Every structure is written in structure tokens, then in C-alpha cells.
Amino acid sequence: MAQDATVTAADIARLAGVGRAAVSNWRKRHDDFPQPVGGTAASPSFSLAEVQDWLRAQGKTDESTADEQLWHELRKIADEVELADMLAFAGAFLLYLCRDHAHWDALAERSDEGVAADLPGAVRAAVEGLPGEQVFPPVLPTRHVPVIRGLAGLAAGRGARACFEFLRERYLDLHKRRMYDTPPEVVRLVMDLAGSGHGTVLDPACGSGGLLLGAIEHDAGRLLGQDADEAVARLTAIRLALRTPDAAIRAGDPLRRDAFAGVEADLVVTTPPFNDRNWGYDELTADPRWEYGLPPRTESELAWVQHALAHCRPGAQAILLMPPAAANRRAGRRIRAQLLRRGALRAVIMLPLGAVPNMAVPLNLWVMRRPDPRERPPSQVLMVETSGDYAAQALEGWRRFAADPEADLDDPGRSRAVRIIDLLDEEVDLTPSRHLTRQAAAPAIERVAERRAETLGLLESLPALLPEVREGRGGRGGPDGPDAPLVPVSELVRMGLVSVHQASAVPPGAEEGLVPVLTAEDVVKGRWPDVTARVETGAGAVVVQPGDVVVPGIIRAPTARVVPEGGALLGRHVFLLRPDPARLDAHFLAGVLRGSLNLRHYSMVSMSYRVDVRRAEIPMPPVEEQRRYGDAYRRLDEFETKLRRASELGADLARLLGDGLVDASLCPDTANRIPDDGKPAAP
């Protein structure tokens, strides 16, 4: 019997293609709406079968949510195996579609019984090499074939890779703790530090494969990965196999049962498990990997450091995301000293708190290089502490250091090349902040005056940016009320009103910082790269033009902006929409895309949304009306940008004032204070 899976209000909203508020209204207005079967009062769960029956009876099913329907059909048959295994079975089938689509085309013409009989063997033959013994059920029940056909239909429309990513994201919504995802911004930083074109890249604790996916984008050759969780390893293997044939993912404990023993990679990148007391200290005491010393039982991270270096060929890099305690715990000081003396550790880069979500401490990147006997060890190591645009700061410091590791590099408050001999004391503390030169600050009163003037100037400009509004006609139809049709972006593309672009390749020179590139972070923060030189377009490169609308590929809140100046290259993970200005106003388009209405068309990824901009819906009033609304949207965007800047400046101003009063570089000026009654203070 198929299990009756449960769904949340968010699941119901996605099934019906509506917002959460609509589901809440249905529960209040319809007495026959299904009653909760579990969960809590604040977050109830409902019977999936009852919900589906109710939606069909009410005519509230939505053809555009076929993917959601399929996901829940998979969940309903997952009682026979774990949901992770069911997802792996679906992924194996999608991989088979990619590798032997002609076989499926022929098989799909047969009856459900015929498909059930022949499909398991065909899939297993096509996906041989995936981790685990059972990559696809040896016997496929006939009643499951309609779900398989639905999966093939969804893949035909969206592509096998996008289909699997959708199912994987839905799985992660239910099992957030099973697979760790290194944030995309950190992945890009790691790969930018490493550079492009590495032949073999290894992630010995690969998790969901984020770092290996980043290696693909940086033109890596062979990809190797291992994870202790067999189900996670299988899902990651499928994820990578849908992108490249040159990936091998293995299951098993990497420290105790190294699947790639003897392999020397061109690059090792990983986020190892933190604070693991059961990493194998007793079994691995005499392991030859401990070239820099036996890791103490409490220093599992230093075991991973040496495991990574052991897998590097001489001269190759290893970059690990590490907890800050690994830089200063007394138990690890001898190994840290050996890493410095031998020239293995090249840089410690402290990321700001929040760069890796759900971490209560700021993590560090350790950039290492396996010593080459033919080279002289360096005499310095780079220390970097970042904030704000941390990736740019880290890359700037690393590139300066890598160009000349013996140079006198000192950027106060940010980065410094520290002599190794100065670090070899009793502590061997590698915390970057303890070795940076303090910034020489301008007199406190000058900084306060500057921040005060800028903050007040921004606040004074805000009222003029707020558009005057009146009560509208409302409804889902948008600006012109219910009569203005909602049109998907994909249909606007077909009509020739807009074109959609993405950069399909790394822009030439972008890695070296030689050409301006518009990134997703630029779009979110409303900043635009300086264009100082003519940009050459290459294969897959897109040059941004004034009036283009840009949307990040992954968002926390709806974001879309109109490009004021052209000339930069479009970066990765950014959608560019180029409207026909005679028929579609750019500011109107950006304003609608920023609205929360379109969130229902995007897929949840942990606490963010993965954007499929072609599914977004745009109301289409006359172009004159678009321009009227577009002007309001433009002013609102400018209002939001200036308000955010004023908030940042105000917080900095408050800190400067507080610090200045504490250290007596400032004192209260009661003569110029304006009292609460508005009258000047008495001298």
C-alpha cells in the first residue's frame, strides 16, 4: 500500500500555485478543507491524499505545478524504501534518460507491464558505477510506472538536470541536516583562490558536491569525491554525472577507508566535519599520512588537513574551510608549527560571521600547498581578515601575496604577510586578527562629521522618493486591476517583447580581474562595476546594456534592477532580461519581478529561492500605464537603496560616537545640543 504522506501549508501552496495566504484563507472559509493530521498549531501538517482530493474538487489544481505533483507522487510510494533511496532511484532513471534516451523512447511505447519488466535492467546497465549496491530497484511494481512516465515527461520539458535539482531541493526541505551545502559564494571564492584548469580535483568529504560543481565551472578535468553517508554519496554522484562524465564519487569513511588511496590530485578542496572526536585516532595512530605529526584526538580538523595534503601532488594546492579554533587550540600547535616550517600553509583567511549560515563563529579558509622538494619554502604566510565584500578582499590580498610571497605586504586591518619565524612561539596562533596592523584612523571628530553629513543628506532625500499612491482596484491582475492579463516571461519571449540571457562561460580575463563583471552580489547591493576598458566578447559572454533588467539566480528576497550603464560582462548566476522599450518598460518589468507575487514560481533552496525567471508572471497593461508605474518602481528602488545605505552609515556613526566617548577622543557638546523641547540649550 502506498503511504499517505503529509504536507505543510507551504507544500499545499506550491501544489495549487498560490501563496501561503491563500491556503490560510481556504482553511478559514471552507468547512470541508482537510483537517490537520499532525504537526503543531503553528505549523500543522495535512494528509496529502485528502488535500489532493480537495484541490481537484474545488478546481484549484494548476497545470504549471506538475513538478510539485510529481514530487508528492514520489513521496507517496516512498514507504517501500527510504525517501533518499527513492530520490536516488529517480536520479538514476534521469541519468539513464541522458545516456540512453533512444532505449527509453522505444520502451515507453510498450505497456506498463512491459516497462516494469525491462526498465530495471536497462537503468542499472546505463548507470553502472554509482555508489551502493542497489541504484535502482531490481523489481519495479507496475503501479509505479505512471510515476516513471511522469518523471520522463517532466525531464522532457525541464531537462534531466533541472528535474533532479528540483527533486533534490524538495528533499532538502524535509532533510536539511542530512546534506551540508557549502554556500555558493564561498564555493566561488575557494575556486577563485585556486584558479582554473586543474586536471584532477578531489573533495574527500564532498557532501552534496557543491565544491566539485564549482570546479566544473572552473574548467576542472577529473572530479573525485567521497562521503561517509552512502545515500548522500549516491545523490551527489548522480548530481555530478548529469553534468560531466568525468566524475567518480565513492561512499565510505574517508579517513578510515580512503577510496582514493595513492591518488595525487592537482587540487583538493573540502569542508571537513568539525569537532569529530570519533575520527579514528586509535586505529590510525601509525598512518603514513601524518607527515606533520599525529593529530590529537581532539584535533580532527588537523587530520583532515594532512589527509588533504597527502592527496596533493608536489606543488598542488589544498583549500579547506576550517573552524577558527583550529588556528589556536594548544593541542594542535606542534602540527601548525610543522605546517609553517615546511611551507605547507600559505594563507589563513577569516570569513565574516554570516558568510556560512547557521554557524555561530566566523570560519577560516586555510590555503595550503604540498611542498615541492625542488623549491625553497617561503618565509612568510598571508593573514587576511574580511568583512562586507569578503570575496573581493580575500582575492585581492591573495593575488598580491601569490605574485611575490616574500614582499612586504601590509594592508592595515585587512591583510598582512607575516614572517613565519614570528609565529613559531609557544602558541603558534594563526588567528588573522591577532597579526594584522591596526588601521591608522583619521581623527574621530573628522570621521564623525563626514558620516553625519552623509547620513543626514541621505535621510533628507528620502521623502521625495516615496511615490504618492491612492487606493487601487486590487486583484491578481496587477496595475490595471483584474483586466490586465498575467503573462509568463516565457510567453513574452515568444512574443518578442523581451529576450532572456545568461553567461554560459567564464568571461575572458574575469579570473584575473582584468575586465568588469556584473555579479549576483552587485545586483543585490545595487552597485555597478566600473567600466574602464573596452570589453571583448567571447563564446558565451554577454555584454550588459543600459536598460537591461538583471535578476540574481538565487535570492533571499525578490531582487531585480535596471542597469544604468552598459559595458560590463554578465557574470554567472545572473539572469539578464532585455525588453523591447517600445512595448515593455524596463523599470515596470523590474518592479514586478521584485514583487513577492512571483516567489511562488521559484524553488526553495534552504532559506533562499532558486529563480526560474521564465516562469515569472508579468501583468501587461498599455505601455503608457507601464511607464507610469515604472517611474514609481524606480523611485521605490532608489528609496530602498538609499535607506539601506543610510542605515549602514547610521550604524557606523553610532559606533564611532560611542567609541569616541569611551576613549575620550570625543566629548559631549552640550552647547549645540537641541533639547527635547526644541529650544537651544542654556550655555
Side-chain angles (χ1 to χ4, degrees):
M1 293 292 292
Q3 74 172 19
D4 183 12
T6 59
V7 289
T8 64
D11 293 326
I12 298 171
R14 289 194 290 250
L15 275 168
V18 298
R20 286 280 300 273
V23 177
S24 178
N25 288 334
W26 292 345
R27 292 185 64 195
K28 295 174 183 177
R29 294 169 53 191
H30 296 276
D31 295 335
D32 61 342
F33 190 87
Q35 294 300 307
V37 296
T40 65
S43 181
S45 58
F46 305 84
S47 161
L48 172 60
E50 291 180 7
V51 166
Q52 288 177 320
D53 289 344
W54 188 86
L55 291 174
R56 281 191 290 267
Q58 295 288 329
K60 297 186 183 297
T61 55
D62 190 334
E63 291 183 2
S64 67
T65 62
D67 47 6
E68 301 289 347
Q69 301 283 352
L70 176 66
W71 163 244
H72 290 295
E73 290 301 320
L74 286 170
R75 286 188 61 200
K76 285 163 66 175
I77 63 175
D79 59 331
E80 300 169 17
V81 291
E82 271 196 40
L83 186 56
D85 290 334
M86 179 58 66
L87 179 58
F89 296 163
F93 173 73
L94 292 169
L95 187 55
Y96 149 76
L97 283 183
C98 292
R99 292 178 173 177
D100 197 357
H101 202 286
H103 183 273
W104 169 252
D105 286 342
L107 186 58
E109 297 295 326
R110 299 174 58 185
S111 65
D112 287 357
E113 290 77 9
V115 172
D118 291 352
L119 184 62
V123 172
R124 289 199 300 273
V127 301
E128 186 178 5
L130 292 180
E133 297 180 1
Q134 186 172 315
V135 297
F136 197 79
V139 177
L140 180 65
T142 302
R143 66 182 182 278
H144 294 173
V145 173
V147 180
I148 293 292
R149 294 187 188 275
L151 189 59
L154 184 61
R158 298 182 61 166
R161 183 193 307 175
C163 183
F164 181 72
E165 286 296 322
F166 166 78
L167 297 176
R168 177 182 168 277
E169 289 162 10
R170 287 292 175 266
Y171 172 78
L172 289 180
D173 288 343
L174 299 174
H175 301 276
K176 292 183 175 65
R177 296 184 179 180
R178 184 157 192 174
M179 282 192 283
Y180 173 76
D181 265 331
T182 304
E185 296 82 3
V186 175
V187 170
R188 286 194 292 274
L189 172 57
V190 168
M191 298 313 304
D192 286 341
L193 290 168
S196 297
H198 296 284
T200 299
V201 178
L202 168 67
D203 185 344
C206 62
S208 63
L211 286 165
L212 293 175
L213 290 176
I216 292 176
E217 296 183 1
H218 280 67
D219 302 321
R222 185 183 179 207
L223 304 178
L224 307 176
Q226 185 171 355
D227 197 88
D229 188 320
E230 182 178 295
V232 170
R234 188 182 303 123
L235 294 176
T236 300
I238 294 169
R239 194 181 188 198
L240 291 168
L242 288 168
R243 290 166 169 80
T244 175
D246 296 321
I249 306 298
R250 301 289 181 260
D253 185 329
L255 294 182
R256 291 184 174 90
R257 292 179 292 279
D258 187 356
F260 301 103
V263 172
E264 291 188 347
D266 300 292
L267 173 66
V268 178
V269 289
T270 195
T271 301
F274 298 160
N275 302 317
D276 181 10
R277 299 298 179 93
N278 187 33
W279 59 267
Y281 175 83
D282 294 325
E283 305 101 301
L284 301 172
T285 300
D287 196 286
R289 288 172 290 183
W290 313 146
E291 186 177 346
Y292 303 89
L294 172 64
R297 190 185 301 274
T298 57
E299 293 284 347
S300 63
E301 296 86 3
L302 294 181
W304 284 99
V305 162
Q306 296 188 76
H307 176 77
L309 286 169
H311 273 295
C312 290
R313 61 168 175 76
Q317 277 187 316
I319 304 178
L320 278 69
L321 189 63
M322 301 280 281
N328 56 34
R329 282 190 294 239
R330 285 188 60 82
R333 66 187 186 279
R334 292 181 181 176
I335 294 178
R336 293 196 298 270
Q338 285 300 312
L339 291 169
L340 291 171
R341 288 190 182 102
R342 300 276 299 278
L345 182 63
R346 297 303 179 91
V348 179
I349 300 171
M350 178 177 286
L351 305 179
L353 183 63
V356 179
N358 303 320
M359 287 289 175
V361 292
L363 301 187
N364 294 342
L365 286 173
W366 285 25
V367 182
M368 296 175 290
R369 189 169 184 262
R370 183 173 178 179
D372 188 331
R374 299 167 298 179
E375 297 178 357
R376 179 181 176 182
S379 64
Q380 299 189 118
V381 64
L382 177 67
M383 296 287 174
V384 181
E385 183 173 11
T386 62
S387 62
D389 190 2
Y390 64 88
Q393 296 170 16
L395 285 171
E396 179 186 3
W398 171 248
R399 286 167 178 163
R400 289 177 60 193
F401 177 78
D404 187 357
E406 302 301 327
D408 183 14
L409 187 158
D410 191 356
D411 185 359
R414 286 194 176 180
S415 60
R416 180 177 170 228
V418 182
R419 292 193 310 162
I420 290 175
I421 191 66
D422 295 336
L423 297 170
L424 297 176
D425 55 16
E426 287 297 316
E427 301 296 329
V428 195
D429 192 336
L430 304 181
T431 305
S433 59
R434 299 190 178 181
H435 303 287
L436 299 183
T437 306
R438 292 188 62 181
Q439 290 179 299
I445 191 63
E446 293 183 12
R447 289 179 287 152
V448 166
E450 179 184 341
R451 296 290 191 279
R452 181 186 179 92
E454 189 174 356
T455 302
L456 291 176
L458 285 168
L459 292 174
E460 289 172 359
S461 69
L462 292 178
L465 294 174
L466 279 175
E468 296 290 339
V469 296
R470 55 179 173 79
E471 185 176 4
R473 294 170 61 183
R476 295 179 70 240
D480 201 29
D483 296 331
L486 284 170
V487 182
V489 169
S490 58
E491 182 65 14
L492 297 179
V493 172
R494 190 190 66 79
M495 297 164 61
L497 272 71
V498 67
S499 58
V500 179
H501 307 269
Q502 282 186 281
S504 59
V506 179
E511 296 293 342
E512 295 78 21
L514 301 177
V515 298
V517 177
L518 180 65
T519 67
E521 188 174 4
D522 293 333
V523 179
V524 171
K525 294 186 176 181
R527 65 190 182 196
W528 312 106
D530 292 331
V531 180
T532 57
R534 180 171 174 265
V535 176
E536 297 290 341
T537 59
V542 179
V543 178
V544 176
Q545 299 178 7
D548 288 341
V549 176
V550 284
V551 183
I554 296 179
I555 58 173
R556 290 185 179 274
T559 305
R561 301 191 189 278
V562 179
V563 177
E565 298 179 4
L569 290 177
L570 187 69
R572 298 190 194 95
H573 312 296
V574 182
F575 289 96
L576 183 147
L577 292 83
R578 185 164 290 159
D580 177 355
R583 297 187 289 171
L584 182 58
D585 183 76
H587 288 286
F588 173 79
L589 175 61
V592 175
L593 289 172
R594 282 198 301 273
S596 58
L597 172 69
N598 276 308
L599 278 179
R600 66 190 179 93
H601 298 297
Y602 305 150
S603 302
M604 282 294 293
V605 186
S606 183
M607 299 301 291
S608 302
Y609 290 90
R610 187 180 300 278
V611 173
D612 183 354
V613 75
R614 293 170 180 82
R615 296 179 64 187
E617 293 180 330
I618 311 297
M620 289 302 295
V623 69
E624 294 80 9
E625 190 76 353
Q626 292 179 31
R627 289 171 182 150
R628 189 165 69 92
Y629 275 82
D631 181 65
Y633 288 136
R634 177 190 58 76
R635 293 167 62 191
L636 279 175
D637 184 44
E638 188 177 350
F639 173 83
E640 181 184 3
T641 301
K642 288 191 174 182
L643 184 62
R644 182 169 57 247
R645 176 60 179 161
S647 175
E648 294 170 354
L649 285 171
D652 191 38
L653 175 60
R655 181 187 59 80
L656 286 173
L657 286 167
D659 290 349
L661 292 171
V662 168
D663 65 17
S665 61
L666 299 173
C667 64
D669 184 3
T670 55
N672 292 320
R673 180 176 65 87
I674 299 178
D676 295 339
D677 60 8
K679 298 177 182 179

